[in-house]
Amino acid sequence: MPNNNEEANQEVTPGQAQLDSSITQKIDYLQTLQSALHDHDDRQIYELIDKTRYDREVKKSRSTTKTQHLADLVADDHEQLSHYLSENLIDYLGKTYPFFYYDEVRNGEFDIYFGNWWDRRKFGKLDVLNVAFEFDDTEYAKLKRAFELDALNQRYNTENIAEISANSAELQKLIDGQDERDHQKEDLRKQLKEVSQKSTLPWDSGKVKEERQGIVDQLSKLADDDEEAINANKKIKENDEKILSLSKEDTILTYEKQSIQQKFEDFSHFESHNQSLYTDYLTNLIGKGQVNADD
């Protein structure tokens, strides 16, 4: 028979019980996750990797239970989980956002492209685990502004193109005005010669000097215009290339705007769908039969 010391050694201390419970909880979590993977139960996987959010946004529960420490057990498996979960998610997004296309640049990491037309934009990234778009701030702001300007019957680059076109028109005037400037320079040189040959009294010297400086200033301005005219054709060509690039951007933005309007009617509905994407997708999985065992 065991003596009292042996019986004491076999007693479970509170610390041991707590440790055993913690390990059991982790084993149960990993086994549940493994079963969800085997059963292709994406809904349950999403619940397991962020139960607090799932309870709040899908079950509409006010529970504040913290279970993130369990989800941390698979933190180093996020790339593989993202790759796995992307298949059904992208299939869903293909129907909901038919104008977005996805490129897996690394395992579980996806770039978003807007459209399948030429010069399509890289529009951001897809966060599979959080079921969220991470749009490029600059591209997103352009698209949003394009919708705002549409109400004014303007395109995104209307003002920029008008400004560049006006600059080209001024440059063309410089080119076309070469003959007139040459005549002006000839007349001014004659005037300068006449002024220089004037016999002046001491009290008239200041006036003559001022007159002479005025002619010199005009000749200097005409010389500057001549120099600018020499480079005008090159600048006009550069402006034409800028306008072409901006016009292409306006065309792409029009395609993007029309794609959103065809699916969501306007930009505000597009934004609201983006904000509820997590809930919408998980609800869709529930509707397809991937239901919560607790429901």
Side-chain angles (χ1 to χ4, degrees):
M1 295 181 61
N3 58 37
N4 291 339
N5 288 336
E6 289 176 338
E7 289 179 353
N9 290 336
Q10 292 175 355
E11 290 180 1
V12 178
T13 66
Q16 288 175 315
Q18 184 178 5
L19 179 59
D20 182 74
S21 175
S22 176
I23 293 173
T24 299
Q25 190 179 28
K26 290 175 181 178
I27 292 172
D28 288 344
Y29 173 85
L30 292 173
Q31 286 178 336
T32 304
L33 179 58
Q34 187 177 51
S35 295
L37 281 167
H38 290 166
D39 295 339
H40 302 285
D41 189 348
D42 291 8
R43 183 216 58 79
Q44 188 172 39
I45 293 172
Y46 275 109
E47 180 181 12
L48 289 167
I49 61 179
D50 194 343
K51 182 166 174 50
T52 301
R53 184 186 185 192
Y54 184 90
D55 287 347
R56 182 181 69 249
E57 298 187 27
V58 180
K59 298 178 71 175
K60 307 302 180 182
S61 169
R62 297 182 179 180
S63 171
T64 57
T65 302
K66 302 294 184 181
T67 57
Q68 188 58 39
H69 66 285
L70 293 174
D72 289 342
L73 291 172
V74 292
D76 57 349
D77 295 311
H78 278 187
E79 288 183 4
Q80 290 85 344
L81 279 169
S82 178
H83 175 80
Y84 168 79
L85 291 168
S86 67
E87 183 176 354
N88 285 332
L89 175 58
I90 289 177
D91 181 66
Y92 169 82
L93 294 175
K95 299 179 180 67
T96 312
Y97 299 83
F99 42 80
F100 282 156
Y101 294 82
Y102 309 92
D103 178 27
E104 190 170 15
V105 291
R106 280 184 289 276
N107 190 41
E109 183 178 333
F110 296 84
D111 285 341
I112 302 172
Y113 287 88
F114 202 128
N116 58 354
W117 42 76
W118 99 106
D119 280 354
R120 65 180 183 170
R121 299 175 187 271
K122 180 181 173 183
F123 209 67
K125 292 183 176 295
L126 172 64
D127 184 342
V128 175
L129 296 185
N130 288 303
V131 192
F133 295 126
E134 296 177 352
F135 293 131
D136 180 278
D137 290 340
T138 300
E139 301 300 339
Y140 189 83
K142 286 181 183 178
L143 181 58
K144 185 173 184 178
R145 182 59 178 161
F147 271 91
E148 294 169 350
L149 290 170
D150 187 54
L152 304 174
N153 294 317
Q154 293 184 13
R155 290 188 168 192
Y156 181 77
N157 290 303
T158 296
E159 292 185 0
N160 287 338
I161 290 174
E163 184 177 340
I164 295 171
S165 297
N167 178 251
S168 290
E170 290 299 318
L171 292 170
Q172 188 61 50
K173 284 182 182 179
L174 285 174
I175 295 173
D176 297 340
Q178 187 63 57
D179 289 344
E180 182 180 351
R181 284 197 303 278
D182 288 342
H183 289 306
Q184 289 178 340
K185 286 184 289 185
E186 185 177 349
D187 290 342
L188 287 169
R189 290 189 185 105
K190 288 180 182 178
Q191 293 176 34
L192 184 62
K193 184 176 180 181
E194 291 173 359
V195 170
S196 299
Q197 290 176 345
K198 280 183 178 180
S199 175
T200 59
L201 296 173
W203 52 83
D204 287 330
S205 61
K207 181 179 179 182
V208 171
K209 184 177 180 181
E210 182 179 344
E211 184 180 358
R212 188 177 189 281
Q213 186 60 48
I215 296 171
V216 170
D217 289 344
Q218 291 180 66
L219 284 169
S220 178
K221 174 63 170 62
L222 290 171
D224 290 341
D225 290 345
D226 285 345
E227 185 174 354
E228 190 171 355
I230 292 172
N231 297 316
N233 281 321
K234 180 181 177 182
K235 289 182 179 179
I236 289 174
K237 184 177 180 180
E238 291 174 353
N239 283 347
D240 289 343
E241 291 174 353
K242 288 179 182 178
I243 290 173
L244 178 60
S245 177
L246 293 173
S247 296
K248 284 182 177 179
E249 183 176 54
D250 278 340
T251 300
I252 296 297
L253 284 166
T254 297
Y255 287 156
E256 294 174 356
K257 183 166 60 66
Q258 290 174 347
S259 296
I260 289 176
Q261 287 171 329
Q262 287 172 3
K263 187 65 181 180
F264 298 103
E265 295 185 7
D266 57 39
F267 197 75
S268 63
H269 286 112
F270 170 67
E271 287 186 306
S272 64
H273 273 81
N274 299 340
Q275 292 166 2
S276 65
L277 182 56
Y278 176 87
T279 303
D280 292 344
Y281 179 55
L282 271 295
T283 302
N284 174 264
L285 291 180
I286 293 171
K288 291 170 65 175
Q290 298 188 13
V291 296
N292 190 337
D294 296 332
D295 292 339

